[in-house]
């Protein structure tokens, strides 16, 4: 957790609580097995009920709806703490929190009773957020999965790709085209695990974050009830975009956690390893590298907290969330790279933690909006200012 005491900035008690709850759990339960889960590509199933009990699967859902009631700053602290121990678990939290925040913000009271309440009680496992398709990721408005109203229900046809926790999720928040082309033709649905006509694809064999599951969802005449529509018909794209805006703060914080973990590994190694008769930490180059990493991560922290605080004030903060996600994910990439270098050959070994962190960090520049897409959002704001 960044120390802002000298600025006079104080985290609230609630923010500290959600951050420290996540940190305690992550350090006790997630950190010890993170390397093994990565090697085995084993989903952190054993931790799901505890994550749900602690409210971490629905952090931003209000307490009266069964969530942890965290604001965006608290969410960022919890995501950072989780990723510092296990980035795979952090991305499971990120996608579950995206999906449940949508239900909390847009579902009717009956829909919340049906899906959100049992979910927050840990009875449904994680939730998935299914927007990307084989033919479109960045250009999500081009999605082609169709939902057609037929009698009393909807019939889904199409395919989703890269869906985090898709094989384990009890509920999927799915975006599909109900009407004409473009953004206005997209609607949001809940599809329950086991729905007839829904097939789950095989797990992707990924470079990093290997303990998180990532699959395709195949809808072949998948029939869901009429009450599965979340929010207004044609409102799906706006729902997805607003969730992803806040989600970017989570990925910025996840990146920070990875960077902090790598820096801690580097500091430890530099104080143990000797070359030419002295500790690595005594070389001026090592000190400069460690200093640069601290500067990168502090800058990323401040940008992340700015974006989170603006969201908490009700600002859309679309440029600020993109700036935070872009900078934090790219800073994490630079930090993990430098820490592998600092470890020499050891850093290239599968046995070292920095090797896992290096692989885990790469995807933060890709999912929930690539670096290029963040730059497009930021450039739009820069040009509008001019
Ligand atoms: C591990 C993992 C987990 C994921 N989890 C989920 C999930 O849970 N739910 C979900 O819906 N999706 C998920 N995704 C999908 C992810 O959000 C997309 O991969 C991402 O948005 C990029 O889309 P794409 O892969 O189709 O790449 P493309 O959109 O095809 O982009 C390819 C390249 O072109 C660049 N590009 C595209 N458009 C432009 C432009 N206008 N200007 C400049 N450059 C451009 C991109 O930046 C990128 O470098 C996940 C992906 C991964 C890898």
């Amino acid at each position: 957790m960044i120390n802002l005491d000298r600025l006079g900035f104080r985290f609230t008690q609630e923010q500290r609580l959600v951050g420290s709850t996540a940190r305690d759990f992550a350090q006790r339960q997630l950190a010890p097995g993170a390397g093994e889960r990565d090697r085995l590509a084993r989903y952190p199933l054993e931790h799901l009920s505890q994550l749900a009990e602690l409210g971490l699967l629905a952090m931003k859902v209000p307490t009266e709806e069964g969530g942890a009631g965290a604001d965006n700053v608290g969410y960022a602290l919890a995501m950072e703490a989780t990723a510092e121990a296990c980035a795979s678990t952090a991305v499971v939290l990120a996608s579950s929190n995206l999906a449940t925040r949508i239900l909390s913000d847009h579902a009717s009271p009956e829909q919340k009773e049906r899906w959100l309440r049992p979910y927050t009680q840990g009875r449904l496992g994680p939730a998935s957020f299914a927007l990307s398709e084989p033919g479109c990721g960045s250009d999500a408005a081009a999605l082609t999965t169709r939902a057609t109203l037929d009698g009393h229900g909807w019939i889904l046809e199409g395919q989703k790709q890269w869906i985090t926790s898709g094989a384990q999720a009890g509920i999927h928040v799915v975006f599909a085209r109900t009407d004409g082309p473009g953004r206005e033709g997209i609607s949001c649905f809940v599809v329950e695990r086991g729905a007839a006509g829904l097939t789950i694809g095989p797990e992707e064999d990924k470079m990093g974050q290997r303990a998180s599951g990532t699959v395709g969802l195949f809808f072949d005449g998948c029939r869901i009830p009429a009450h599965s529509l979340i929010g207004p018909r044609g409102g799906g794209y706006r729902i997805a975009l607003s969730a992803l805006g806040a989600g970017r703060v989570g990925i910025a914080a996840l990146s920070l956690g990875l960077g902090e973990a790598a820096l801690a590994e580097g500091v430890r190694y530099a104080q143990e390893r000797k070359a030419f008769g002295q500790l690595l930490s005594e070389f001026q180059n090592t000190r400069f590298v460690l200093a640069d990493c601290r500067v990168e991560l502090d800058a990323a922290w401040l940008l992340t907290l700015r974006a989170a605080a603006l969201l908490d004030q009700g600002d859309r903060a679309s440029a600020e969330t993109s700036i935070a996600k872009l900078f934090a994910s790219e800073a994490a990439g630079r930090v993990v790279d430098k820490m592998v270098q600092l470890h020499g050959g050891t850093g290239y070994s599968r046995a070292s933690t920095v090797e896992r962190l290096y692989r885990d960090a790469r995807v933060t520049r890709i999912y929930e909006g690539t670096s290029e897409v963040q730059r497009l959002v930021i450039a739009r704001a820069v040009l509008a200012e001019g």
Side-chain angles (χ1 to χ4, degrees):
M1 189 186 292
I2 192 169
N3 184 349
L4 297 177
D5 286 353
R6 275 183 293 151
L7 246 185
F9 180 97
R10 293 272 184 277
F11 292 113
T12 63
Q13 219 179 340
E14 291 77 16
Q15 290 162 350
R16 283 184 189 277
L17 183 65
V18 70
S20 62
T21 301
R23 182 166 298 281
D24 287 350
F25 181 74
Q27 289 306 322
R28 257 186 309 110
Q29 304 286 346
L30 301 177
E36 196 193 355
R37 286 194 300 278
D38 168 72
R39 262 190 303 284
L40 301 175
R42 203 185 70 212
Y43 192 85
L45 263 181
E46 67 270 32
H47 300 307
L48 281 179
S49 55
Q50 288 159 293
L51 290 166
E53 240 169 67
L54 294 171
L56 297 175
L57 286 179
M59 277 185 252
K60 290 195 284 175
V61 171
T63 47
E64 56 275 20
E65 290 176 359
D71 60 10
N72 287 282
V73 170
Y75 177 62
L77 295 176
M79 285 296 288
E80 187 265 341
T82 306
E84 211 174 310
C86 177
S88 293
T89 306
V91 75
V92 170
L93 296 188
S95 69
S96 276
N97 277 287
L98 265 187
T100 51
R101 186 59 201 256
I102 287 175
L103 293 184
S104 171
D105 285 350
H106 303 281
S108 67
E110 296 74 33
Q111 290 172 324
K112 286 182 189 179
E113 252 341 283
R114 190 180 183 88
W115 292 306
L116 196 53
R117 183 69 61 185
Y119 172 86
T120 57
Q121 291 165 346
R123 289 194 270 133
L124 294 179
S128 89
F129 171 89
L131 178 65
S132 303
E133 298 187 354
C136 63
S138 305
D139 184 13
L143 64 82
T144 59
T145 296
R146 277 216 79 85
T148 315
L149 201 50
D150 172 49
H152 296 300
W154 296 92
I155 297 183
L156 266 60
E157 293 284 347
Q159 185 183 339
K160 296 289 171 184
Q161 197 176 20
W162 301 116
I163 307 308
T164 299
S165 301
Q168 298 81 16
I171 45 171
H172 308 279
V173 172
V174 177
F175 298 87
R177 189 165 297 289
T178 46
D179 297 286
R183 300 170 174 205
E184 305 305 323
I186 297 171
S187 301
C188 177
F189 297 91
V190 165
V191 179
E192 293 182 9
R193 176 181 17 223
L198 166 62
T199 311
I200 310 290
E203 293 287 353
E204 296 287 345
D205 189 9
K206 304 192 297 289
M207 174 196 293
Q209 302 193 1
R210 289 178 59 78
S212 68
T214 317
V215 295
L217 304 180
F218 298 83
F219 301 98
D220 182 10
C222 175
R223 184 178 283 278
I224 55 173
H227 65 245
S228 311
L229 176 69
I230 303 293
R233 179 169 174 161
Y237 191 77
R238 270 190 301 278
I239 291 175
L241 234 56
S242 99
L244 285 170
R248 290 198 283 260
V249 166
I251 302 303
L254 185 160
S255 310
L256 265 161
L258 278 164
E260 293 286 358
L263 180 55
E265 287 293 317
V267 168
R268 197 172 312 127
Y269 193 72
Q271 289 173 328
E272 284 166 13
R273 174 75 176 175
K274 281 190 171 167
F276 298 94
Q278 65 186 74
L279 289 168
L280 297 185
S281 60
E282 287 160 9
F283 291 119
Q284 189 183 49
N285 177 62
T286 305
R287 291 174 170 230
F288 284 3
V289 165
L290 295 176
D292 285 347
C293 290
R294 185 69 267 155
V295 173
E296 292 257 35
L297 294 175
D298 270 18
W301 257 120
L302 292 171
L303 291 172
T304 303
L305 288 175
R306 174 179 74 163
L310 282 171
L311 287 174
D312 287 337
Q313 287 167 27
D315 196 306
R316 270 186 65 222
S318 115
E320 289 84 357
T321 53
S322 284
I323 290 170
K325 200 264 181 184
L326 174 66
F327 189 81
S329 59
E330 302 216 332
R334 290 187 288 270
V335 169
V336 293
D337 186 63
K338 284 179 177 149
M339 293 305 102
V340 167
Q341 192 68 18
L342 181 61
H343 278 71
T346 302
Y348 200 65
S349 162
R350 287 264 153 142
S352 80
T353 300
V354 284
E355 184 271 346
R356 168 169 54 86
L357 299 173
Y358 181 86
R359 287 183 288 104
D360 282 353
R362 186 62 185 87
V363 74
T364 62
R365 284 180 265 168
I366 296 172
Y367 58 28
E368 290 206 26
T370 63
S371 287
E372 292 73 26
V373 166
Q374 308 308 335
R375 287 189 171 91
L376 290 177
V377 175
I378 298 162
R380 210 178 300 134
V382 171
L383 289 167
E385 281 164 11

